[in-house]
Amino acid sequence: MIEPIERIQKVPNRNPDRTFIYFVRSGEFIKIGQSRRWKQRVETMQVGSPHTLIVMLVLKDEPKLEGKLHNWFRADHFRGEWFHSGPALLAYIKKRLPECVSKSDECELKKPTDWDDL
């Protein structure tokens, strides 16, 4: 017998206060964003972008980190969630690479190999 929909339990979110914070490069700009489904978000952004998007870093952290990052890099702010790829922002991304979730089972990410070309 099939159980009524009211009795089916949803799978709980293991970390309801955590999300993915992503850094995506498009031309000379880097977007700092957040999403629980970062891959789908990047795919959606790619459809409307004339540049090939490069995912530089994906972190799993608290959603409020995104706002802190926007504030920290406000000197490089361009528009919305987009920032100029200045030295401070690139240094932050390099520093946090060991924490990138690309090596986990949560996502697969190809990292840039030559930072001088970025």
Side-chain angles (χ1 to χ4, degrees):
M1 178 177 172
I2 299 175
E3 292 188 60
I5 192 78
E6 301 86 42
R7 299 185 79 188
I8 299 174
Q9 294 182 357
K10 291 183 179 180
V11 177
N13 186 340
R14 293 182 193 149
N15 295 313
D17 297 330
R18 313 268 287 165
T19 189
F20 291 104
I21 308 295
Y22 59 86
F23 296 74
V24 175
R25 186 173 186 134
S26 176
E28 64 182 273
F29 302 103
I30 296 175
K31 177 177 173 41
I32 303 172
Q34 71 167 312
S35 177
R36 292 195 186 274
R37 296 184 178 112
W38 74 269
K39 285 184 183 180
Q40 290 89 344
R41 178 70 181 115
V42 172
E43 288 172 0
T44 301
M45 291 183 338
Q46 183 61 75
V47 170
S49 176
H51 302 283
T52 299
L53 300 180
I54 299 169
V55 180
M56 300 179 73
L57 177 67
V58 179
L59 304 169
K60 191 150 192 186
D61 211 311
E62 297 179 8
K64 63 184 176 182
L65 176 62
E66 179 195 25
K68 288 179 182 179
L69 292 168
H70 288 181
N71 189 43
W72 290 339
F73 300 113
R74 68 182 171 269
D76 291 324
H77 184 253
F78 174 67
R79 178 184 307 135
E81 296 182 334
W82 291 94
F83 297 79
H84 293 277
S85 56
L89 180 52
L90 290 174
Y92 178 85
I93 292 170
K94 287 181 190 179
K95 179 181 174 186
R96 299 288 307 260
L97 274 176
E99 301 169 59
C100 186
V101 297
S102 66
K103 299 286 185 191
S104 75
D105 60 351
E106 299 188 53
C107 66
E108 185 177 328
L109 169 66
K110 293 181 180 174
K111 297 181 205 171
T113 55
D114 189 355
W115 283 92
D116 295 331
D117 291 340
L118 299 179

